[in-house]
Amino acid sequence: MRRLFFLCLMIIVNVSVCWSAEINLAMLYRQLDAAIDSSAYYQKQKSDVIRTLNRQYDSARNDQEQYQFAFSLYREYATFVNDSAIHYLQVCMDCADRLGRQDLKTQSQLAMACQLADTGFYPEAEYHFKAIDMSQLTQEMMITYLSGRKDLYGEMGYYSHEKRLSSQFFKRADVIRDSLFNLLPPESAEYVGLRSQVLNNQNQLDEALAYSDKWLQLVKPNTRQYAIMAFYRSEIYKKKAVNSGLQSDVELQQYWLIRSALTDIRLAIMDQGALWSLANSLIEYDGDLDRAYRYMDFSWNCISQFSTHMRSWQVSPILTRINDQYKNSLHQANTNLRFTVVAISLLLIGLLILLLYVQKKRKQLAIARNELKTANDELALLNAQLSERNTDLSEANRQLNDSNRVKDVYIGKFLSICSEYIDKLDNYRIKINRKLKAGQQNDLLRMTNSNQLKEDELKELFDNFDDVFLRLFPTFIRDFNALLRPGEEIYPTGNNRLNTDLRIFALIRLGIDESSRIAEFLRYSPNSIYSYRTRIKNKAAGNRDDFERLVKEIGIEG
């Protein structure tokens, strides 16, 4: 009877949540897109906190203060930049050694082991777990210790390619999990969440969802714990969707993934799994390739900043899947294009036949009408003049071709490919435009009348160039301005973006120092590029003739 009541309660809760998700799913996607657009703001907030802690860390008066600030920096970096988090934990361990504080050494070593385990450095994590002085562990630290080792062996079992080792790791994780259950208060969020995960792994989905409901009540929104809860709740609905095939379960899975991803983005958490899981769901169930690619691109940037190889391994299959989907779409587009070319060819043949017929009739009319003789004589004179002009034009073209022949055949291969790709897209738009003007589909005709495609591609080209360049040379703007006189510094207007002045000298830094090649990429004339270069060299703090050579040396370690 009690179990029947429990199941009825679960059905009511699920129906209520499903109705809410159905109402709010589209709105949540808009919120998620807005959060991604504002991610730089959230990351700046996190960076501001870190900068404040760094100043306090630099001004620490003794090892005790240095330990406290270093541990606070670790907490901020733990989900933001993995390498920095590990660095400050090492600082904490060194401080603890100098202070002779075994309790602090144990605290920082436990944090190090858990950080390494969470980010895929399994042998290193195992080393630090074994080095921990168990006598120094409080009950809270023991819970953290057991939870970390459970996760370590669970991950090692999941990613192991040898079944025997995988089974051994899972058994170790189960033993530690049982010990963890004995320590955790039954009404705590940690206990309820762990119980929900275990039941989900055992495919007891209704019971897992019931514990997930309790877990939901025990965590606060807009916290890391809420993001974790929402992610594991989506995993339950993911299994339910596979078992039931119901669209409502798919929507609930995506609903909680969005909730988790929103929290990660707003908290500037770079170690996130919800967004690329959402991208995978969009590909599998909705076929929304563009949205999936946008989410994967953002998630990949976050993972790259967090700097851990394990997340890259997890994301790679989804990126491959998106790539395959794009290939299929491209193949279909090529098929449609071939059909269009055939149709246009047939129309051209018909038009040619019609033109030949009209020409024949015109010749017959010309013979019948003597009054056109004068007009024909004048036409012959004009043709002679045109022939003379054509001869002059041919000579000019010959001279131009001879001049072009001696140009550098290796001019900007990569940049030319990008520019040609944009021009091809524009030519494709013009061809489709012409076809539609001769036929139907007026809605598509309006779309192709716009130059937006070319402008978007150029913007994306420049954005990609800026992003890659600033990753290669993160201190370029600072070092470049150091070469200019005080008060003449040049700064971009947006985050991770260069303006025209900086972009010209970014290309020079890459070895592309011919104005014609720079102009080709930036869509300026060579004279304009020359003027930009001259104007900026006049602002040089030292010898202007050495300015570009010094720019080329930016980022070279001595």
Side-chain angles (χ1 to χ4, degrees):
M1 184 68 181
R2 181 178 180 182
R3 181 175 178 84
L4 179 60
F5 173 76
F6 172 78
L7 292 176
C8 291
L9 180 62
M10 280 301 306
I11 292 173
I12 294 172
V13 170
N14 286 341
V15 169
S16 175
V17 173
C18 181
W19 177 81
S20 176
E22 181 180 1
I23 294 299
N24 296 320
L25 196 58
M27 180 186 68
L28 281 175
Y29 274 120
R30 290 193 295 270
Q31 291 179 0
L32 180 58
D33 292 338
I36 290 174
D37 292 338
S38 302
S39 60
Y41 168 75
Y42 301 121
Q43 293 174 26
K44 182 180 181 301
Q45 287 184 316
K46 169 73 78 170
S47 298
D48 290 343
V49 173
I50 290 173
R51 275 194 294 271
T52 300
L53 287 173
N54 266 314
R55 287 193 294 269
Q56 294 173 335
Y57 171 81
D58 292 337
S59 61
R61 294 169 295 181
N62 51 54
D63 288 332
Q64 181 67 36
E65 287 188 359
Q66 189 178 38
Y67 179 93
Q68 294 173 352
F69 292 129
F71 201 80
S72 297
L73 282 166
Y74 145 70
R75 291 182 184 277
E76 294 298 328
Y77 275 121
T79 57
F80 194 58
V81 179
N82 183 53
D83 292 342
S84 298
I86 293 174
H87 165 74
Y88 283 108
L89 282 175
Q90 188 61 56
V91 171
C92 289
M93 294 171 64
D94 294 340
C95 289
D97 286 336
R98 290 194 296 270
L99 290 167
R101 293 282 300 276
Q102 187 60 37
D103 56 334
L104 297 182
K105 177 68 174 292
T106 300
Q107 180 189 41
S108 55
Q109 195 159 36
L110 176 59
M112 175 72 82
C114 292
Q115 183 72 18
L116 292 170
D118 287 343
T119 52
F121 297 96
Y122 303 137
E124 296 87 343
E126 178 74 0
Y127 168 81
H128 284 284
F129 274 125
K130 289 182 178 179
I132 291 174
D133 184 356
M134 302 294 291
S135 65
Q136 295 291 327
L137 296 179
T138 64
Q139 181 173 354
E140 181 179 356
M141 293 170 68
M142 179 62 74
I143 291 173
T144 303
Y145 174 85
L146 293 175
S147 179
R149 295 209 77 169
K150 173 189 70 67
D151 293 341
L152 171 63
Y153 289 128
E155 291 288 308
M156 291 173 68
Y158 182 81
Y159 288 107
S160 175
H161 296 291
E162 188 173 341
K163 291 185 178 180
R164 185 178 62 180
L165 284 177
S166 178
S167 177
Q168 291 177 1
F169 289 140
F170 282 134
K171 287 179 181 178
R172 291 184 190 179
D174 291 342
V175 171
I176 296 173
R177 181 199 65 204
D178 293 339
S179 300
L180 190 58
F181 275 132
N182 292 331
L183 282 179
L184 288 170
E187 298 302 321
S188 66
E190 292 81 2
Y191 181 94
V192 173
L194 183 58
R195 184 65 70 184
S196 176
Q197 296 171 43
V198 171
L199 291 169
N200 183 39
N201 292 336
Q202 296 172 351
N203 287 318
Q204 300 180 42
L205 302 183
D206 290 335
E207 292 82 353
L209 195 57
Y211 273 98
S212 181
D213 291 337
K214 294 181 181 179
W215 194 7
L216 174 61
Q217 300 301 318
L218 294 173
V219 294
K220 295 180 180 180
N222 203 36
T223 62
R224 175 66 170 160
Q225 291 72 29
Y226 183 88
I228 294 172
M229 178 280 303
F231 179 81
Y232 281 109
R233 189 174 178 89
S234 75
E235 290 292 295
I236 299 174
Y237 284 111
K238 179 181 179 180
K239 284 189 176 181
K240 289 175 70 70
V242 172
N243 294 338
S244 67
L246 295 177
Q247 181 63 26
S248 59
D249 288 329
V250 175
E251 291 176 353
L252 284 167
Q253 177 204 358
Q254 295 177 355
Y255 176 90
W256 289 106
L257 283 173
I258 296 172
R259 286 290 189 193
S260 180
L262 272 172
T263 304
D264 284 339
I265 294 171
R266 290 167 178 171
L267 295 178
I269 294 172
M270 301 293 103
D271 182 20
Q272 52 180 252
L275 198 58
W276 51 266
S277 295
L278 178 60
N280 191 42
S281 178
L282 286 168
I283 297 171
E284 183 173 358
Y285 293 107
D286 299 344
D288 192 345
L289 195 60
D290 292 336
R291 184 183 290 272
Y293 177 79
R294 188 164 64 253
Y295 291 165
M296 279 304 307
D297 182 61
F298 177 79
S299 181
W300 181 261
N301 289 334
C302 292
I303 291 169
S304 298
Q305 178 173 330
F306 185 63
S307 182
T308 173
H309 59 276
M310 184 182 71
R311 297 290 181 262
S312 301
W313 293 342
Q314 293 172 333
V315 170
S316 293
I318 303 177
L319 289 173
T320 302
R321 190 173 183 182
I322 291 177
N323 183 59
D324 291 340
Q325 292 283 353
Y326 267 117
K327 286 182 179 179
N328 292 335
S329 299
L330 183 60
H331 176 73
Q332 183 62 40
N334 288 336
T335 301
N336 294 337
L337 181 60
R338 284 194 292 270
F339 174 79
T340 302
V341 169
V342 171
I344 292 175
S345 298
L346 293 175
L347 289 174
L348 288 175
I349 292 172
L351 180 61
L352 180 60
I353 293 173
L354 181 61
L355 288 174
L356 291 174
Y357 176 77
V358 171
Q359 185 67 20
K360 181 179 179 180
K361 290 298 182 182
R362 289 184 63 185
K363 287 182 179 180
Q364 291 174 353
L365 290 174
I367 294 173
R369 295 178 181 178
N370 294 327
E371 61 269 22
L372 292 179
K373 185 177 182 300
T374 303
N376 287 335
D377 291 339
E378 293 177 356
L379 182 59
L381 179 60
L382 291 174
N383 283 336
Q385 295 174 351
L386 180 60
S387 177
E388 183 180 354
R389 297 294 183 272
N390 285 335
T391 301
D392 295 339
L393 182 60
S394 297
E395 177 63 20
N397 284 334
R398 188 193 65 79
Q399 294 176 359
L400 180 60
N401 289 333
D402 184 66
S403 175
N404 288 335
R405 182 178 57 83
V406 298
K407 286 187 177 179
D408 184 357
V409 297
Y410 297 104
I411 289 177
K413 182 178 180 181
F414 170 74
L415 303 179
S416 297
I417 290 173
C418 293
S419 296
E420 288 171 8
Y421 174 67
I422 295 170
D423 292 335
K424 286 179 181 178
L425 287 178
D426 198 42
N427 290 335
Y428 176 78
R429 176 186 66 79
I430 294 172
K431 290 180 181 179
I432 296 301
N433 185 280
R434 290 173 178 171
K435 184 260 179 184
L436 292 176
K437 285 181 177 179
Q440 297 89 26
Q441 301 181 338
N442 291 330
D443 53 340
L444 292 178
L445 178 60
R446 288 192 297 271
M447 294 171 58
T448 55
N449 275 332
S450 173
N451 286 325
Q452 189 63 40
L453 177 63
K454 182 174 181 179
E455 294 174 359
D456 290 344
E457 292 295 335
L458 281 172
K459 182 180 182 301
E460 182 177 355
L461 172 63
F462 293 150
D463 287 350
N464 287 334
F465 172 81
D466 296 348
D467 185 58
V468 172
F469 181 82
L470 289 177
R471 289 189 189 195
L472 290 174
F473 304 100
T475 64
F476 176 79
I477 296 175
R478 182 192 66 197
D479 296 341
F480 178 79
N481 284 325
L483 300 177
L484 301 177
R485 294 193 301 271
E488 300 291 349
E489 292 87 353
I490 300 172
Y491 294 99
T493 57
N495 293 332
N496 294 327
R497 294 293 176 267
L498 302 175
N499 56 26
T500 301
D501 292 340
L502 291 172
R503 199 172 286 135
I504 289 171
F505 283 89
L507 290 169
I508 292 174
R509 174 61 187 85
L510 294 176
I512 304 172
D513 54 6
E514 296 179 14
S515 294
S516 59
R517 297 177 67 185
I518 297 173
E520 180 183 359
F521 177 59
L522 297 181
R523 293 298 194 273
Y524 283 87
S525 69
N527 288 336
S528 297
I529 298 300
Y530 178 81
S531 298
Y532 273 107
R533 294 170 70 170
T534 302
R535 175 173 55 82
I536 295 174
K537 285 195 291 186
N538 289 335
K539 299 178 181 180
N543 190 335
R544 68 185 300 277
D545 294 331
D546 294 334
F547 182 75
E548 292 189 358
R549 178 181 61 80
L550 294 175
V551 169
K552 292 179 180 180
E553 295 177 358
I554 289 177
I556 299 178
E557 297 181 358

